[in-house]
Amino acid sequence: MGTTNVAAKLPSATIVRETPSLLRRWWMNKNLQYYVAMSSFIIIINIAAIVHMRTHKIPFNNDNLVTFVVWFSTFYIISGIGSCCAWFVAIDEVEVSEGASYAGRVAHTMGFGIFFVLLYSISPHLALLFGVPCLIWFVAFMVAPCCPSIWKGLCITVEIIRDWWKYVTQPGSEVVYV
């Protein structure tokens, strides 16, 4: 009689565990997705503003505005290229992605600066109506994550204002003698 060792008769198997590629993990980074979406949005709105100014023949001859656009454009291009290069380096080295994210925020700030200067050239009232809500958004989502102390101070200020508003709007009691 032969041996009945079942394990000896089964073929040996190697388990291969697949992990996502470096490129897939890089592309799934939420900061990178935000950077791509925001950069696309900023480029589109700036091109739309320039096309609007060209089609409606809106002059752009104020020296101060031209100076702002030149400075914003210079920093936008430099920080945008720096951020793109850092994101490509971040494919292999994940720790570089944080620096790329900050460089991207600088680029987005400069891109919005260009847009607001163009918007001001089109209509100062439109720039004000569009600029105030965008400034609130900018402080909440661009500056505050970079500086936690600003975020904490902003939260405390909002709580103080909320408490003051509750105090001011509470119904009062009044004694009336008849």
Side-chain angles (χ1 to χ4, degrees), residues 120-178:
Y120 181 78
S121 297
I122 294 170
S123 167
H125 298 291
L126 183 63
L128 183 64
L129 289 174
F130 188 74
V132 171
C134 286
L135 181 64
I136 293 169
W137 173 84
F138 174 76
V139 169
F141 293 107
M142 298 280 283
V143 176
C146 295
C147 305
S149 60
I150 291 175
W151 184 252
K152 185 177 180 183
L154 185 65
C155 291
I156 291 171
T157 304
V158 168
E159 288 175 1
I160 291 170
I161 292 171
R162 183 194 65 204
D163 293 340
W164 174 80
W165 186 251
K166 284 181 180 178
Y167 170 74
V168 169
T169 58
Q170 73 183 4
S173 60
E174 193 173 308
V175 177
V176 178
Y177 296 104
V178 182

Side-chain angles (χ1 to χ4, degrees), residues 24-36:
R24 176 151 174 79
R25 282 191 285 155
W26 172 74
W27 187 245
M28 296 309 292
N29 186 334
K30 297 298 180 195
N31 289 329
L32 175 65
Q33 292 172 352
Y34 173 80
Y35 174 76
V36 170

Side-chain angles (χ1 to χ4, degrees), residues 25-75:
R25 282 191 285 155
W26 172 74
W27 187 245
M28 296 309 292
N29 186 334
K30 297 298 180 195
N31 289 329
L32 175 65
Q33 292 172 352
Y34 173 80
Y35 174 76
V36 170
M38 189 59 70
S39 295
S40 302
F41 176 71
I42 290 171
I43 290 170
I44 289 169
I45 63 172
N46 282 334
I47 290 173
I50 291 169
V51 167
H52 179 80
M53 288 178 69
R54 302 259 324 201
T55 56
H56 291 86
K57 295 183 172 61
I58 297 172
F60 189 70
N61 53 8
N62 188 340
D63 290 336
N64 293 334
L65 297 180
V66 171
T67 304
F68 279 129
V69 168
V70 167
W71 278 104
F72 284 144
S73 299
T74 303
F75 287 121

